Amino acid sequence: VQLQASGGGMVQAGGSLNVSCTVSGRTNRRYAVGWFRQAPGREREFVAAISWSGMIVDYAASVKGRFDISRGEATNTATNTVLLHMASLTPEDTAVYYCAAKDSTYFGHTSYYVSPDEYGIWGQGTQVTVSS
């Protein structure tokens, strides 16, 4: 399976940005997806997660009410896109954003994960910069 993160960029405080994560690979597997971010000098932190069914989502307290994670419609059974819409951005949201996937085929359609240690597949990261 491969993850491709895209989107991000630079925006002024109060603005919005979208980042997306395309998960492609084996057609008979289902993946829970999480977004994490890492700012310079700081540890990687959880941002949002979604179960493979899309029925369950979770957010870090720092982004709850401002960020929205969702699954786009699959273009085919081997590809799925997870979208992270970020609104009311502040300079504290500046970081490299990473998406990660965990094979959850046998863990139920409501399983999701907030620890980076749970995820075995990571995308390359995309920069989000919020100016004041």
Side-chain angles (χ1 to χ4, degrees):
V1 62
Q2 293 183 325
L3 273 64
Q4 180 68 45
S6 61
M10 183 178 293
V11 68
Q12 288 189 331
S16 300
L17 278 176
N18 296 318
V19 289
S20 64
C21 179
T22 300
V23 184
S24 58
R26 300 172 65 181
T27 60
N28 61 340
R29 315 300 283 188
R30 298 293 182 264
Y31 297 94
V33 172
W35 281 98
F36 296 81
R37 66 186 181 186
Q38 188 166 19
R42 300 184 65 175
E43 292 187 355
R44 189 170 297 188
E45 64 174 358
F46 168 73
V47 175
I50 189 167
S51 62
W52 67 253
S53 66
M55 294 179 62
I56 303 298
V57 298
D58 193 23
Y59 300 93
S62 59
V63 306
K64 204 166 189 178
R66 302 187 297 121
F67 289 16
D68 181 66
I69 187 171
S70 62
R71 286 194 179 269
E73 289 190 15
T75 57
N76 56 58
T77 57
T79 303
N80 191 239
T81 299
V82 173
L83 310 173
L84 184 67
H85 174 66
M86 304 179 290
S88 302
L89 287 162
T90 74
E92 287 67 39
D93 295 314
T94 295
V96 177
Y97 282 69
Y98 298 89
C99 63
K102 176 180 173 69
D103 189 335
S104 299
T105 306
Y106 302 115
F107 295 103
H109 65 285
T110 59
S111 296
Y112 69 96
Y113 310 91
V114 301
S115 169
D117 295 336
E118 292 278 4
Y119 293 91
I121 308 161
W122 290 82
Q124 83 281 14
T126 184
Q127 177 71 45
V128 171
T129 302
V130 185
S131 61
S132 58

